[in-house]
Amino acid sequence: MSFEIIPAIDIIGGKCVRLTQGDYAQKTVYNEHPLEVAKEFEDAGITRLHLVDLDGAKKGAVVNWKVLEDIAGKTSMVIDFGGGIKTDKDISIVFESGAAMATIGSVAVKQPEVFFSWVDQYGPEKIFLGADVKGENIAVGGWLETTELSVYDFLQSNVDKGVRNIFCTDISKDGLLQGPSTELYKKILERFKNIHFIASGGVSNIKDVEALREAGCAGAIIGKAIYENRISINELKQFNA
């Protein structure tokens, strides 16, 4: 099975940034021009990109669609775009701007009927479900709120409706470079055999990526480890070779 490395580009004010544990006060700007970052990944042979509109996530509506349009128009990367997709208009803007997949998190938890209508309308291959987890429970609202909903029940209800593209972020790990929640992901993969499961959060070096591949994940979303040079572009090239 092929394994996808999916770099994350988080956008605030049109710039490539990273937050620590979702805290807007702990922001580092890595590049003023996200397109330059995307082209560097493409040059390394990476074909996928996880683009997150942090302004959109905060506002509750898509804001940085022009960045998406720019990268989609000037690279051949397969982009999933998330952050602030709350309405039919938001999701149509995302697809019109060149995203291959729309990344949906909170709406899938709080308004499942809206979410499933998008799965029906666009097809499950165009929807990327984001499950933010704390412990083994689902968290929403930019991680400010942990629900009573178990990740297993949440995933079961979505898999039953045909959802297949899923990524899971253990928010206690995200941005800390302390390693991913490989054991949690193994438990999920034991229960759900037919999902395309991507790990997110906590990756600190190429060994973490290898462990996720061995655990059966279909890919890993990597952010801070790349920007802090814990994983080099060269290592990514070799991993993809």
Side-chain angles (χ1 to χ4, degrees), residues 38 163 168:
V163 174
C168 187

Side-chain angles (χ1 to χ4, degrees), residues 85-106:
I85 301 173
K86 302 284 189 214
T87 64
D88 292 347
K89 184 184 173 203
D90 289 321
I91 197 168
S92 66
I93 286 169
V94 166
F95 287 130
E96 282 162 19
S97 301
M101 280 187 267
T103 299
I104 314 291
S106 297

Side-chain angles (χ1 to χ4, degrees), residues 1 31 44 47 51 69 73 79 98 116 126 135 157 180 185 194 198 200-201 207 222 224 230 237:
M1 184 180 74
N31 196 308
T47 57
L51 197 55
E69 200 172 62
I79 305 166
F116 293 135
K126 305 266 299 179
S157 64
Y185 303 149
N194 297 318
I198 307 287
S200 167
K207 283 195 172 67
I222 312 172
K224 204 168 195 176
R230 304 288 191 96
K237 267 186 186 166

Side-chain angles (χ1 to χ4, degrees), residues 131-138 150-152 155 168-173 180-192 197 199-200 212 215 217:
D132 289 342
V133 179
K134 197 167 188 180
E136 292 191 346
N137 283 5
I138 292 291
S150 99
V151 63
Y152 306 106
L155 291 178
C168 187
T169 307
D170 182 340
I171 63 176
S172 65
K173 304 271 189 184
S181 291
T182 312
E183 292 310 309
L184 170 67
Y185 303 149
K186 280 181 182 167
K187 280 162 90 174
I188 290 170
L189 285 159
E190 274 165 24
R191 200 173 295 201
F192 301 100
F197 184 83
S200 167
L212 291 170
C217 297

